[in-house]
Amino acid sequence: MKNCITFYYEDNSEKDIFSPIAEEAKKRNFNTKFTKNFNQSSDIGFYCKSTGINLKSKHPVIFLGGMDQGRDNWPNAWQKENWNKFNLGFLPGKTWTQMWKKMSWFYKCRPKFGVFDCGWPKADITSNKRLLYRKSKKIRKKYGVSKTKYNVLYAPSFECNDKQLDVANAISKLKNCELVVKHWIEDKKKNPDLWGQINRANLNTKKILGHKAKIIKPSESFIEILPLINILITDESSVAYEALLLDIPTISVNDWKIQRHKHSILRPVKPANICFITYRENLQIKIQDMIKKKNYYHGILRNKKKIYFS
């Protein structure tokens, strides 16, 4: 169907990348459609993955699936990607643009007609503070997130090895803190083992913290949660980069381990270089230090978002 943009996605975190583009496209008289069926044909197709799929779009466009995509292989984040199959590619900011220029000799990173530095679509709402805070207010009311307490958000890549309980136990010893938990996995059939681990972790977190723990549904927008929190804790998730948008510091724990599913290797986490690193036994102390020195930590972060986001 001509004059229609089809957005292909696997989960809500990918859908969130394209939602702002879809809104803008509608203003410009395009029809829009979201689908999880990668075998569906389209005229213009937006994707945020390039491997393991058959392109069914006449004019395919590629975005990153996350701000830290392919971080193990930086600067050549395209080693396992196939951007050369697409017509256009889009990047979120200076850091990615520099990496692309450095690796532009590599055929897999070159779409047919070019790559453009356009910013990160999910970040668009942060330039409209009134709208962002209105949406955040709804989440606060829906889940009972405190207005007066110091809110710590735990949002991992993959829940395993009792990481969430480390956070819950640290929060339990802090008087003025509450914990907000946000996982991204929402499909029980697709991720049965991880689904079970998340549910167990949430149940045990409630036992430890009671009303001091707020469990946010995976379908909620991560960006819209950010105005409600003061600190982010993650393992190696790309959400650490998105927290930069509101100058929120991120803690990662160097001796945590991560496992994508029960058949994969349990390995040490690889925290992003924008995280403040600590160890399991010092997690409570690190949270306390960030509370006491919040201006110091915010000062360190303030200019970093300009490096990652256009």
Side-chain angles (χ1 to χ4, degrees), residues 47-58:
Y47 298 78
C48 56
K49 64 178 293 181
S50 64
T51 56
I53 58 171
N54 293 317
L55 289 182
K56 297 292 184 178
S57 177
K58 291 181 182 176

Side-chain angles (χ1 to χ4, degrees), residues 1-5 29-31 42-44 58-59:
M1 183 166 58
K2 289 187 176 180
N3 207 39
C4 179
I5 299 175
N29 298 318
F30 281 88
N31 296 311
S42 65
D43 185 41
I44 302 170
K58 291 181 182 176
H59 305 289

Side-chain angles (χ1 to χ4, degrees), residues 119-137:
W120 189 232
K122 286 172 70 175
D124 283 2
I125 194 172
T126 61
S127 63
N128 187 343
K129 292 292 192 291
R130 184 175 295 180
L131 176 60
L132 176 60
Y133 285 94
R134 189 164 70 239
K135 289 178 177 287
S136 295
K137 189 176 179 180

Side-chain angles (χ1 to χ4, degrees), residues 149 171-180 206 209-214:
K149 299 291 176 68
I171 297 296
S172 70
K173 297 166 187 173
L174 300 171
K175 288 183 180 180
N176 203 37
C177 269
E178 292 195 352
L179 178 62
V180 179
K206 281 287 188 182
L209 292 175
H211 69 277
K212 288 179 66 177
K214 315 296 179 184

Side-chain angles (χ1 to χ4, degrees), residues 1 5 29 54 57 90 96 149 153 215 217 257 275 279 284:
M1 183 166 58
I5 299 175
N29 298 318
N54 293 317
S57 177
F90 290 99
W96 271 98
K149 299 291 176 68
L153 173 62
I215 311 297
K217 289 182 179 179
K257 293 187 176 180
C275 294
Y279 292 86
Q284 177 197 337

Side-chain angles (χ1 to χ4, degrees), residues 56-150:
K56 297 292 184 178
S57 177
K58 291 181 182 176
H59 305 289
V61 177
I62 183 71
F63 278 73
L64 297 176
M67 289 293 296
D68 66 343
Q69 185 171 304
R71 182 156 58 89
D72 287 349
N73 299 312
W74 283 7
N76 192 359
W78 294 269
Q79 277 189 29
K80 298 179 181 179
E81 299 295 327
N82 294 300
W83 280 34
N84 55 311
K85 293 182 178 181
F86 295 81
N87 286 3
L88 296 173
F90 290 99
L91 297 172
K94 291 179 183 177
T95 298
W96 271 98
T97 300
Q98 288 167 1
M99 284 196 289
W100 187 88
K101 286 180 177 178
K102 189 171 185 178
M103 302 310 304
S104 60
W105 59 268
F106 185 55
Y107 76 100
K108 280 190 173 185
C109 78
R110 295 200 305 268
K112 293 174 185 175
F113 301 130
V115 171
F116 299 86
D117 181 348
C118 71
W120 189 232
K122 286 172 70 175
D124 283 2
I125 194 172
T126 61
S127 63
N128 187 343
K129 292 292 192 291
R130 184 175 295 180
L131 176 60
L132 176 60
Y133 285 94
R134 189 164 70 239
K135 289 178 177 287
S136 295
K137 189 176 179 180
K138 290 181 181 178
I139 294 176
R140 185 191 297 279
K141 186 176 180 180
K142 184 176 179 180
Y143 295 97
V145 179
S146 175
K147 287 183 179 180
T148 57
K149 299 291 176 68
Y150 208 87

